Amino acid sequence: ILKNTLAQLRMKVKGLGTLPLWVYDDASDDPSAISAAVKEIWPDAHLILGGKRVGQAEGRNVLLRACQTEFAIMLDDDQYFLELGLLNEHIEQHSRNPDRAIVQFQSIVKATGELAHPKEAGPRMVPTFMGGCVLVHAPSLLKAGGYRPFFLYGYEEPDLAMRLWGQGFHVWYDPSIVVEHNQWYSPEERRDFREYDYLYARNGVLLATMNSPLWLGLPVGLARSVRRALYHKRNYGVKAAGLLQGVAMTFSHWRERTPLSWRQAAEFWRFARGGKPSGNY
């Protein structure tokens, strides 16, 4: 999958081959195979080998800190460009919109044609993003603290979006920039759905309690966690443990909370439910 992604980037998009490429390997079983795959397609790439699994949240932080550039295109190993659209303009004209910390691309699932955003949706602010297909203004993300490492994965993007919101930044969606999501499943893949359900139950609580006043965040977080637990009818005991751990971690990570004011939180939740953002955008 990784070799195909890098090859697609080389073949389909002129100019990307001259850019510095950073790849993070999150303590895979065979890092030599990852290294060989990367070097075969992109000989000058920088490969960072993680000694201990940290998850995609901290993995993206590692890349953000390593690249040492003002802007970074962040792609998952199974996403590559079909159309660059106005990508370069977002870089060249950032001074006109300095509050755009993230530009979200349109993503099409290769196997099904499913779109991440409705076809009719035009350029606009969005409340969250897909971390594997974005242009980011790295200093803005780092100023907000980057992704929370202890999230591992699950709700790490909306968590970062809320913290950016609190600092006056936002996420912009540009449908002219299109990636293909080469997502597919095979019997050989190891997908730990117990871990998946645990983390989403836990992080669903943390997303609200870490970023909102506790009296608002706790009931919202519990409701989200329970709603998701009922949607996927499996691993109920694991989900209950995750929910309780989310409450416990709210207090063990109390000093790391970045609660929005009541007004900011209310505006964000209204926007996330489909309302228009306030201000001039």
Side-chain angles (χ1 to χ4, degrees), residues 86-153:
L86 301 177
L87 178 65
N88 205 46
E89 292 188 21
H90 289 290
I91 298 172
E92 293 178 345
Q93 301 179 14
H94 180 74
S95 60
R96 298 183 184 179
N97 300 284
D99 50 348
R100 291 183 187 174
I102 296 174
V103 177
Q104 171 71 73
F105 313 149
Q106 174 67 284
S107 179
I108 304 174
V109 177
K110 183 177 182 180
T112 64
E114 180 183 357
L115 299 174
H117 295 266
K119 188 175 182 179
E120 64 277 8
R124 69 196 195 283
M125 279 183 62
V126 289
T128 188
F129 62 98
M130 182 187 296
C133 53
V134 289
L135 171 72
V136 305
H137 184 248
S140 299
L141 267 66
L142 293 173
K143 179 182 178 182
Y147 294 92
R148 294 192 198 270
F150 58 84
F151 267 53
L152 195 64
Y153 67 83

Side-chain angles (χ1 to χ4, degrees), residues 50-234:
K52 179 182 179 182
R53 181 181 176 231
V54 296
Q56 60 202 46
E58 178 60 10
R60 289 172 180 155
N61 286 339
V62 171
L63 292 171
L64 274 172
R65 292 191 292 262
C67 70
Q68 295 291 303
T69 55
E70 185 176 2
F71 296 92
I73 298 167
M74 305 198 77
L75 299 169
D76 279 353
D77 60 359
D78 57 0
Q79 293 184 288
Y80 46 81
F81 288 105
L82 296 180
E83 300 288 343
L84 285 182
L86 301 177
L87 178 65
N88 205 46
E89 292 188 21
H90 289 290
I91 298 172
E92 293 178 345
Q93 301 179 14
H94 180 74
S95 60
R96 298 183 184 179
N97 300 284
D99 50 348
R100 291 183 187 174
I102 296 174
V103 177
Q104 171 71 73
F105 313 149
Q106 174 67 284
S107 179
I108 304 174
V109 177
K110 183 177 182 180
T112 64
E114 180 183 357
L115 299 174
H117 295 266
K119 188 175 182 179
E120 64 277 8
R124 69 196 195 283
M125 279 183 62
V126 289
T128 188
F129 62 98
M130 182 187 296
C133 53
V134 289
L135 171 72
V136 305
H137 184 248
S140 299
L141 267 66
L142 293 173
K143 179 182 178 182
Y147 294 92
R148 294 192 198 270
F150 58 84
F151 267 53
L152 195 64
Y153 67 83
Y155 293 120
E156 74 277 7
E157 292 108 338
D159 171 75
L160 177 53
M162 286 190 74
R163 283 181 285 124
L164 287 167
W165 177 279
Q167 296 196 26
F169 298 109
H170 67 265
V171 181
W172 186 260
Y173 167 62
D174 186 342
S176 76
I177 311 169
V178 183
V179 301
E180 189 164 66
H181 195 179
N182 185 27
Q183 187 178 41
W184 52 283
Y185 304 96
S186 70
E188 292 78 23
E189 288 184 292
R190 294 174 301 169
R191 293 186 176 269
D192 187 344
F193 284 105
R194 288 177 60 83
E195 178 189 73
Y196 178 92
D197 291 334
Y198 173 83
L199 289 175
Y200 270 95
R202 187 196 72 176
N203 294 350
V205 175
L206 290 170
L207 169 61
T209 58
M210 296 295 288
N211 298 302
S212 303
L214 189 62
W215 62 268
L216 173 65
L218 187 58
V220 168
L222 293 174
R224 177 190 293 111
S225 185
V226 170
R227 183 172 65 247
R228 185 180 180 93
L230 295 176
Y231 179 77
H232 296 286
K233 303 183 186 306
R234 65 190 182 209

